[in-house]
């Protein structure tokens, strides 16, 4: 079926679905108006030959990867009803038939919120994929962060190949990741699940998105900006597809030419993103382009005029650095512990390469600098943390080792934390 035909059927389906809802509210279910409307809806599904999905993401309504803008008048009422039922996503399957539509209408009339499924129809939270249905049937479907991986892979190939609807998918995926970030108390719990999984490109993209979402939320950034940061984070390395695998996975030192090939990925990534169709925040390609640029002007790509990277790119740079050094790679045989990785971030922040505000928020989220933790200070002394820093996680109350002075590191003329020592069990 051509894209034009599909669009025509979807248009008809929306019209008929709106009519059915209106008819059902006015007449009893046996009334010919209701029956005819249900029959027409069922016919659209049979013709479409595959499921039709309608989802709500924030204020936007998406039908089959296409944002409905503006929302057709005739759909408004039924969409309000879906919202009242807490159905973020509904899926009509080809086998639904007249009976299925009438059952959906009845359910809407009863108005009891929560997930619902019947022959040819599933409604509930945004994550309505095959695994969910299995789960509802009581089969042992895998759950958790790792199960998002195939969808991330699919989305990345959509972006690389410039397929339509890729942004809608990206938004869905980042919202699912976001759900995991909020559900877990500890920001490490979702990313630990992927630690032993070897598809680095995808696990790294997901982890950087999860960490960046956590930082953005902690900073109370507006929801739209959190979304843009999340999508930028998940796509930040999309330009790496142009790097030959033997260069990308090469253990040991890279030649100057190889390094040059690798350093092109932010430029290539931004170009891939800019060539995509569909609406997307302008921050997304900027994040891809600038995630290796540093606050002090070092890093790459080099521009003729030096400028400070966009704050969203500086935020993602912190998550990117953290996840990269926490992972075992061919050129990095052992990964850093959380304290070791935090120490690297602190060093980069003190050298004005990573932005200190994002590093500080990160330090708070990782919970590495807490009472009992041993740290090394910039004056060379060692100390133990007594209490969390109130305004800055990197400026706690400390006691210099061996019964020395007690110091509030947020006060002027006190040293900085230079590194964090491992606990015995790390
Ligand atoms: Fe990168
Ligand atoms: Fe990266």
């Amino acid at each position: 079926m051509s894209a034009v035909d599909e669009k025509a059927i979807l248009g008809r389906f929306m019209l008929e679905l709106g009519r059915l809802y209106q008819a059902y509210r006015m007449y009893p279910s046996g009334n010919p108006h209701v029956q005819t409307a249900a029959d027409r809806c069922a016919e659209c599904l049979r013709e479409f030959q595959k499921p039709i999905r309608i989802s709500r993401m924030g204020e936007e309504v998406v039908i089959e990867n296409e944002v409905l803008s503006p929302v057709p008048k005739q759909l408004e009422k039924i969409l309000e009803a879906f919202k009242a039922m807490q159905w973020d996503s509904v899926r009509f399957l080809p086998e639904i038939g007249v009976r299925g539509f009438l059952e959906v209408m009845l359910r809407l009339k009863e108005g009891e919120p929560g997930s619902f499924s019947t022959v040819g129809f599933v409604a509930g939270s945004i994550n309505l994929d095959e695994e969910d249905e299995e789960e509802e049937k009581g089969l042992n479907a895998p759950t958790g962060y790792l199960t998002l991986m195939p969808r991330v892979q699919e989305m990345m190939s959509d972006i690389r190949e410039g397929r339509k609807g890729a942004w809608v998918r990206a938004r869905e995926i980042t919202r699912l990741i976001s759900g995991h970030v909020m559900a877990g108390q500890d920001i490490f719990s979702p990313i630990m699940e992927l630690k032993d999984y070897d598809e680095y490109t995808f696990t790294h993209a997901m982890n950087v998105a999860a960490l960046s979402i956590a930082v953005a939320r902690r900073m109370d950034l507006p929801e739209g900006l959190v979304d843009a940061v999340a999508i930028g984070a998940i796509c930040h390395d999309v330009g790496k597809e142009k790097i030959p695998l033997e260069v990308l996975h090469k253990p040991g030192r890279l030649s100057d030419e190889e390094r040059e090939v690798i350093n092109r990925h932010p430029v290539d990534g931004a170009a891939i993103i800019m060539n995509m169709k569909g609406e997307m925040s302008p921050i997304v390609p900027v994040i891809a382009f600038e995630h290796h640029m540093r606050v002090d002007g070092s890093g790459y790509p080099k521009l003729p005029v030096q400028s400070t990277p966009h704050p969203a790119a500086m935020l993602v740079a912190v998550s990117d650095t953290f996840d990269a050094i926490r992972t075992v790679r061919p050129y990095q045989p052992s990964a850093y512990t959380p304290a070791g990785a935090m120490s690297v971030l602190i060093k980069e922040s003190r050298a004005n390469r990573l932005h200190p505000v994002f590093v500080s928020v990160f330090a708070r989220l990782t919970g590495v600098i807490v009472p009992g933790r041993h740290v090394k200070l910039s004056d060379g002394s060692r100390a133990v943390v007594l209490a969390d820093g109130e305004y800055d996680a990197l400026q706690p109350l400390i006691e210099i080792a061996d019964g020395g002075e007690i110091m509030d590191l947020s006060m002027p003329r006190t040293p900085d934390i230079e590194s964090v020592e491992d606990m015995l069990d790390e």
Side-chain angles (χ1 to χ4, degrees), residues 226-297:
V226 177
D227 274 352
V229 166
I231 296 176
I234 206 163
C235 303
H236 77 281
D237 272 338
V238 81
K240 280 196 176 167
E241 63 142 355
K242 306 240 182 219
I243 305 174
L245 284 181
E246 61 277 15
V247 178
L248 194 60
H249 296 155
K250 185 180 173 182
R253 275 190 79 80
L254 295 170
S255 68
D256 289 350
E257 295 83 62
E258 288 166 337
R259 172 62 42 213
E260 218 172 278
V261 171
I262 292 213
N263 288 6
R264 260 205 313 262
H265 79 271
V267 179
D268 289 338
I272 291 171
I273 293 170
M274 304 258 280
N275 283 334
M276 295 284 310
K277 291 189 191 76
E279 287 247 331
M280 164 241 324
S281 159
I283 293 175
V284 176
V286 171
I287 291 175
F289 188 70
E290 296 186 346
H291 74 276
H292 286 288
M293 286 186 185
R294 295 298 176 244
V295 182
D296 66 350

Side-chain angles (χ1 to χ4, degrees), residues 45-262:
L45 258 302
R46 273 197 304 276
E47 256 182 78
F48 202 64
Q49 291 170 15
K50 53 184 183 179
I52 296 179
R53 186 162 63 151
I54 306 179
S55 342
R56 172 184 297 279
M57 287 189 288
E59 284 314 300
E60 279 174 355
V61 177
V62 176
I63 181 163
E64 284 303 292
N65 292 339
E66 203 63 76
V67 177
L68 282 183
S69 175
V71 171
K73 199 104 202 86
Q74 66 272 18
L75 267 190
E76 277 173 8
K77 286 272 177 274
I78 191 167
L79 290 174
E80 273 169 31
F82 287 168
K83 193 175 179 182
M85 297 292 281
Q86 294 165 8
W87 293 352
D88 292 334
S89 185
V90 298
R91 197 165 53 173
F92 300 91
L93 309 173
E95 61 267 30
I96 181 167
V98 171
R99 226 189 82 206
F101 274 107
L102 293 180
E103 278 186 38
V104 174
M105 292 302 125
L106 179 64
R107 181 75 177 193
L108 287 175
K109 197 174 198 174
E110 286 167 351
E112 194 189 310
S115 311
F116 171 68
S117 63
T118 182
V119 183
F121 180 79
V122 198
S125 72
I126 199 100
N127 190 10
L128 285 182
D129 48 18
E130 312 310 324
E131 292 95 8
D132 273 12
E133 270 176 62
E134 304 241 304
E135 205 178 19
E136 274 172 24
K137 287 181 203 144
L139 302 176
N140 292 327
T143 54
Y145 195 54
L146 190 56
T147 59
L148 298 179
M149 184 73 65
R151 300 178 73 171
V152 174
Q153 282 168 321
E154 211 179 304
M155 178 210 76
M156 297 274 234
S157 81
D158 282 354
I159 291 181
R160 280 196 297 262
E161 276 151 43
R163 275 191 218 120
K164 237 174 127 218
W167 292 120
V168 173
R169 270 172 190 272
R171 201 126 36 107
E172 268 182 8
I173 292 284
T174 49
R175 281 185 181 247
L176 294 174
I177 292 176
S178 178
H180 284 268
V181 174
M182 286 194 289
Q185 299 283 346
D186 170 6
I187 60 162
F188 290 121
S189 56
I191 72 170
M192 285 308 274
E193 212 178 303
L194 299 184
K195 202 168 153 278
D196 301 321
Y197 201 84
D198 63 354
E199 293 261 25
Y200 178 72
T201 318
F202 305 111
T203 54
H204 176 63
M206 285 173 74
N207 288 343
V208 174
L211 294 167
S212 303
I213 290 167
V215 173
R217 281 201 197 291
R218 175 85 205 190
M219 297 184 81
D220 270 336
L221 300 187
E223 212 38 36
L225 189 52
V226 177
D227 274 352
V229 166
I231 296 176
I234 206 163
C235 303
H236 77 281
D237 272 338
V238 81
K240 280 196 176 167
E241 63 142 355
K242 306 240 182 219
I243 305 174
L245 284 181
E246 61 277 15
V247 178
L248 194 60
H249 296 155
K250 185 180 173 182
R253 275 190 79 80
L254 295 170
S255 68
D256 289 350
E257 295 83 62
E258 288 166 337
R259 172 62 42 213
E260 218 172 278
V261 171
I262 292 213

Side-chain angles (χ1 to χ4, degrees), residues 356-378:
V357 168
F358 298 123
V359 172
S360 166
V361 176
F362 213 85
R364 182 82 74 195
L365 284 167
T366 53
V368 166
I369 305 174
V370 287
R373 176 70 77 168
H374 290 261
V375 293
K376 196 172 154 215
L377 302 181
S378 53

